[in-house]
Amino acid sequence: MSLKLDTNGSAIDNADSSLLVRRETTTLRHQATDILRKAIIDQRFPPGKHLVERELCELLGVSRTSVREALRHLESEHLIRMVPHKGPVVATLSATEARNIYEVRAALEGLAGELFATHATDEQIRELVRISKDLTNKVRSGEFDSVLEIKSQFYDVVFAGAQNDMLARMIHSLNTRVWLLRRMSLMSPDRSKKMIMEVKDIIKAARARDPQSMKDACIRHVKSASEVVLPKIDELEQDSA
Amino acid sequence: MSLKLDTNGSAIDNADSSLLVRRETTTLRHQATDILRKAIIDQRFPPGKHLVERELCELLGVSRTSVREALRHLESEHLIRMVPHKGPVVATLSATEARNIYEVRAALEGLAGELFATHATDEQIRELVRISKDLTNKVRSGEFDSVLEIKSQFYDVVFAGAQNDMLARMIHSLNTRVWLLRRMSLMSPDRSKKMIMEVKDIIKAARARDPQSMKDACIRHVKSASEVVLPKIDELEQDSA
DNA sequence: GATTATAATATTGTAATACAATCTTGCAAA
DNA sequence: TTTGCAAGATTGTATTACAATATTATAATC
């Protein structure tokens, strides 16, 4: 496993028009946080795995100070759990938690949709349409790997149009925790087809600028995804018991 | 200012029936986090104040290690903002952010209400009724200081009945950030009266176990609070500009 | 005097080391 | 087999150190 990060934060790309100094914000602990987060999301550290600080130090090539502060951050994202005097454990996701998260996501994404239909610019609506077409193509051609990424773009536009950063951050943090469930759900081809239909409903409501329908469509979309995913995680939990 | 914390974590209260070992979970950094959080919420560190790590060390009587890890935690709660190479700054709350938070709160507390009406036990409903009466009394007798505390109890019961920890945690973290706005809002006597009415609506819906009305009542309650508070923070922002 | 260059200072970011508290494990004794 | 204890591992915390960066004060130049 090589998770090493570059100690000299490079990247002095100042090609854009702004004359602002490209302030080097990437601290080591920040890089460490990102790398560890990615490792957890990609399941290189499987749920339940007991992490050892010293091993992480070697793995990342940074000191314990930085590792510990990174762990503190991941703890607040609920990606790891700190057991006193035992150390960090990669968070597991119980069926109950997954259910809870999808309940909250439905409410929040419903709100996001409602706000988008209310505040979005025409350009943002067009952008959403464009992405949804892209999504359809990728599903048709079977490129399921890129579907999740495009889906993220889709939501980024929704959040931008909704004009509520707090909301965007909260949904994002929820999604981080159910990332693998989402991947699981989008991989199944029949789910993909249904997903496309639901996105079409969302687009329709967006073009009509109808907050209520947009909200409903977004909620239906999350609920529909949860109906695919939750039974699966229920099974998994049964198996391990 | 004395914010010192006790280094020897004391507290071996094992009077309850459980035979489980009362595991000593209070690490120094945890205590430090709590104390700093409280100091910020109580405005002993006013918004925008530049905190200096070494001063915090002396203030709390712990090492920089612990202080920094505590800061990492508060950063993720958005109570402080880390400026690279300048250090932690107590977070300020813009009018826009406040508006965003109240939007999200409305959605989340609406969900909490809906879930409570669906899942709560009869005992929990009775408990809610009891607390709301307590609340009415305190408002009548003008004890506004304790109103906010009882209101917290009220919500704790709602969350317990809603059976969604994730939801509870998210609302709680939002409330932390708008704590002073809430205090501001509840202090005004006429707001209190309206608040009592709204709580009565919530109670009514809870007893009827009507998810939809409970949801609506909870949303109305948050919206109503925001209508009192948001103009005030708008003024504040105008003044400082 | 105003502006710029330079130095001094303060603070954060990171590392390395140390040690006590605690947990885990394995082994010996009953 | 169970109990007790020692050894090892790991975290929690403190201390010290130093480089990188930001701020402030001072001197130099126009």
Side-chain angles (χ1 to χ4, degrees), chain A residues 129 198-210 213-214 217:
Chain A
V129 173
E198 291 160 6
V199 168
K200 284 217 169 92
D201 285 345
I202 294 176
I203 293 289
K204 193 175 165 192
R207 296 180 96 145
R209 288 191 167 286
D210 181 340
S213 336
M214 179 110 179

Side-chain angles (χ1 to χ4, degrees), chain B residues 27-28 62-66 85-86:
Chain B
T27 59
L28 283 187
V62 295
S63 76
R64 236 180 110 198
T65 310
S66 301
H85 292 284
K86 279 201 60 176

Side-chain angles (χ1 to χ4, degrees), chain A residues 48-235:
Chain A
K49 176 166 177 65
H50 185 133
L51 301 177
V52 178
E53 293 178 359
R54 193 171 42 72
E55 290 175 5
L56 296 180
C57 293
E58 288 177 19
L59 219 53
L60 298 171
V62 295
S63 77
R64 235 181 113 196
T65 309
S66 301
V67 166
R68 283 178 63 88
E69 294 190 14
L71 290 174
R72 230 39 83 229
H73 205 101
L74 295 175
E75 180 188 14
S76 67
E77 293 180 15
H78 299 284
L79 285 178
I80 63 170
R81 194 167 39 93
M82 294 299 299
V83 184
H85 292 284
K86 280 201 64 179
V89 177
V90 178
T92 54
L93 193 65
S94 71
T96 306
E97 276 176 301
R99 210 176 305 279
N100 289 348
I101 289 177
Y102 274 92
E103 267 176 1
V104 176
R105 263 190 68 191
L108 291 183
E109 294 192 12
L111 175 60
E114 184 182 357
L115 292 175
F116 182 91
T118 311
H119 297 130
T121 64
D122 290 343
E123 172 55 31
Q124 283 168 328
I125 293 179
R126 278 195 294 275
E127 177 73 2
L128 206 63
V129 173
R130 196 189 61 70
I131 294 177
S132 80
K133 279 177 185 161
D134 201 4
L135 198 62
T136 309
N137 290 336
K138 286 283 191 284
V139 168
R140 287 230 174 94
S141 61
E143 297 170 68
F144 295 111
D145 282 342
S146 41
V147 166
L148 201 52
E149 195 194 330
I150 297 180
K151 200 66 188 301
S152 293
Q153 291 175 24
F154 183 88
Y155 274 114
D156 285 343
V157 175
V158 173
F159 297 148
Q163 296 184 34
N164 187 325
D165 284 350
M166 187 63 49
L167 177 59
R169 273 206 297 267
M170 295 187 87
I171 296 177
H172 194 269
S173 108
L174 286 180
N175 278 340
T176 300
R177 293 202 62 196
V178 291
W179 192 259
L180 30 113
L181 293 187
R182 294 181 68 208
R183 195 160 47 195
M184 203 189 283
S185 104
L186 288 177
M187 281 306 184
S188 76
D190 49 324
R191 166 68 193 135
S192 296
K193 276 186 194 130
K194 190 148 184 253
M195 189 260 280
I196 293 293
M197 297 298 294
E198 291 160 6
V199 168
K200 284 217 169 92
D201 285 345
I202 294 176
I203 293 289
K204 193 175 165 192
R207 296 180 96 145
R209 288 191 167 286
D210 181 340
Q212 187 61 49
S213 336
M214 179 110 179
K215 178 179 182 176
D216 292 343
C218 287
I219 292 178
R220 273 202 308 277
H221 182 44
V222 175
K223 290 233 164 101
S224 161
S226 76
E227 279 162 15
V228 174
V229 167
L230 293 181
K232 286 190 183 172
I233 196 173
D234 271 333
E235 279 175 37

